Amino acid sequence: MNKLQSTLLIAISATLIARTAGAQTQGSKDTSGLPKWKFDASTTIGAQTQDYTTVNTLDNYQNSVSTSNTGHLEYKNGVSMCVTLQAGYFFDKKRHWGLGTGVMYQYQSGEAQLHNFRVEYQERDFVDNDFRQIITANELSERVYQSNINIPLVLKYQTKLSGRIGFNMDAEVLFGIACYASYKTTASLDYEAIYKFQTQPWGGTTTVYDNSTIPDQNDWVITRETVGYQNIPHGVETYFDTLRGRGYRVALNVHPDNSGTVKYKASTGLILHPSVNLTLSKKLAIDLGLTYMNQSYTKTTEQRYVISKWIGDYHSPLNTVSSVNVETLGVNVGVTYGVW
């Protein structure tokens, strides 16, 4: 909200200044010099933030241990670029106020990072023994590319500050038509295990699931940390590779190669766009300004989502996103064609 409040303050102040300047020069300036129709082509580039709302998927991991954590999804290093085509009609006598519409295409890129992911839950191995599966994300990030198409409904204000310089203020309501996000995964996952053995009355030994926070001292603990203490010949990773070759669901530093696309539902948004324009000729002008945009999207989440079902399997954490709020602050440059 701080960005929105700051932008609104700037926009309101600029509008008041422009209107005051117009009032002071009304007696000497001819406001009929403003066009009745304006056709704009502009491009915007700026910094972008995305605030994810995610669903809790811990219940999808069978009998998860209380210390399990499905992590926190964060969006970083966002950049937004968009191209807009608009037509506006100024309806009042002095041609200060108008309405407009058009089409806007926006392309956004950034990085989604999942922090502190670690789950411990009940699984079965290759011979149907119950055991505790541990999956840890050492590094999990995704390069996200998002594109969306909007139809804006624009309230437009224009005035002259001098013979060649004008001030404009656009307030736009966006109606989302389509929005897609594609992702490419960079992830490193560890698959570890804990086996608990139980002696049966007939003398045989079976495995049972141990869901205690601290494993029993007689459990077979196959983790990076525990195996490292045992001074295993040829190293920890070799030991894990050997067990994996025998069918056990353990492995270190697994890098799944995964990419895909998610679709968001259409949404509404808001754009504030204060700018100044420099007249090049009677009909042609260059427009320079700032743009603030706020828009939200929603998405249906997967009901039984887990990040991984077996070694090498991977599902993007974007599947846990139920809504996302996007804010963009950037600079805008455009060309305006006026019709009197």
Side-chain angles (χ1 to χ4, degrees):
M1 287 301 295
N2 289 336
K3 288 184 178 179
L4 177 57
Q5 291 171 351
S6 299
T7 306
L8 284 172
L9 182 59
I10 293 171
I12 292 170
S13 299
T15 303
L16 290 175
I17 292 171
R19 296 193 68 179
T20 301
Q24 290 175 347
T25 58
Q26 187 172 0
S28 58
K29 298 295 180 182
D30 182 8
T31 57
S32 64
L34 296 171
K36 193 175 188 65
W37 286 91
K38 288 177 73 172
F39 299 92
D40 304 312
S42 64
T43 182
T44 300
I45 184 169
Q48 176 207 77
T49 62
Q50 294 194 10
D51 184 18
Y52 291 125
T53 298
T54 58
V55 297
N56 187 354
T57 61
L58 191 58
D59 289 342
N60 296 342
Y61 297 88
Q62 183 180 10
N63 296 328
S64 60
V65 177
S66 60
T67 55
S68 295
N69 187 354
T70 54
H72 170 66
L73 188 61
E74 180 184 21
Y75 185 87
K76 300 178 67 176
N77 304 320
V79 176
S80 173
M81 294 171 285
C82 73
V83 176
T84 304
L85 299 175
Q86 279 188 16
Y89 173 76
F90 293 85
F91 49 80
D92 68 322
K93 184 176 181 180
K94 296 182 179 180
R95 300 182 181 179
H96 287 313
W97 296 96
L99 292 174
T101 189
V103 61
M104 184 186 82
Y105 172 78
Q106 188 173 30
Y107 179 80
Q108 305 156 337
S109 66
E111 187 176 4
Q113 296 181 341
L114 185 65
H115 302 285
N116 304 319
F117 177 86
R118 179 185 175 89
V119 291
E120 303 183 35
Y121 63 101
Q122 183 175 356
E123 265 292 2
R124 288 202 164 191
D125 66 10
F126 65 107
V127 289
D128 287 338
N129 285 319
D130 288 317
F131 75 104
R132 185 196 296 191
Q133 178 79 76
I134 305 170
I135 304 179
T136 306
N138 303 316
E139 174 190 345
L140 200 160
S141 62
E142 296 183 346
R143 195 67 192 172
V144 181
Y145 304 95
Q146 186 170 307
S147 59
N148 59 303
I149 300 174
N150 292 283
I151 300 296
L153 177 61
V154 191
L155 175 63
K156 305 177 77 70
Y157 174 82
Q158 65 175 354
T159 190
K160 282 282 189 178
L161 300 179
S162 68
R164 297 190 63 187
I165 298 176
F167 172 81
N168 308 298
M169 181 67 191
D170 288 354
E172 307 180 22
V173 178
L174 296 175
F175 297 93
I177 301 301
C179 180
Y180 295 89
S182 61
Y183 60 87
K184 176 67 177 177
T185 298
T186 301
S188 174
L189 302 175
D190 282 353
Y191 297 80
E192 302 166 313
I194 298 177
Y195 281 83
K196 183 178 181 65
F197 301 98
Q198 186 176 75
T199 302
Q200 301 298 326
W202 60 85
T205 300
T206 59
T207 61
V208 294
Y209 176 58
D210 182 2
N211 67 343
S212 60
T213 302
I214 301 177
D216 186 85
Q217 62 180 355
N218 294 320
D219 288 355
W220 182 25
V221 181
I222 314 171
T223 64
R224 179 193 294 269
E225 182 180 15
T226 302
V227 173
Y229 286 141
Q230 299 174 10
N231 195 23
I232 300 295
H234 308 298
V236 175
E237 292 197 17
T238 300
Y239 179 74
F240 270 76
D241 290 342
T242 301
L243 291 178
R244 181 181 179 183
R246 296 174 183 172
Y248 290 97
R249 294 177 57 170
V250 293
L252 298 179
N253 301 319
V254 177
H255 299 278
D257 183 15
N258 186 269
S259 60
T261 303
V262 296
K263 181 180 180 180
Y264 292 98
K265 293 181 180 179
S267 63
T268 57
L270 170 69
I271 291 182
L272 296 176
H273 174 53
S275 65
V276 295
N277 62 282
L278 175 65
T279 301
L280 300 180
S281 66
K282 179 175 176 59
K283 294 185 177 181
L284 195 63
I286 295 178
D287 192 76
L288 301 171
L290 299 175
T291 298
Y292 171 81
M293 186 185 78
N294 185 290
Q295 191 169 19
S296 60
Y297 311 96
T298 59
K299 185 177 67 64
T300 302
T301 58
E302 290 188 13
Q303 295 296 315
R304 301 302 300 171
Y305 166 88
V306 294
I307 198 167
S308 182
K309 296 179 181 178
W310 55 82
I311 296 174
D313 176 52
Y314 176 85
H315 304 276
S316 169
L318 290 179
N319 290 301
T320 69
V321 174
S322 59
S323 65
V324 54
N325 186 68
V326 180
E327 285 189 313
T328 302
L329 183 61
V331 294
N332 176 279
V333 59
V335 177
T336 298
Y337 182 82
V339 177
W340 274 255

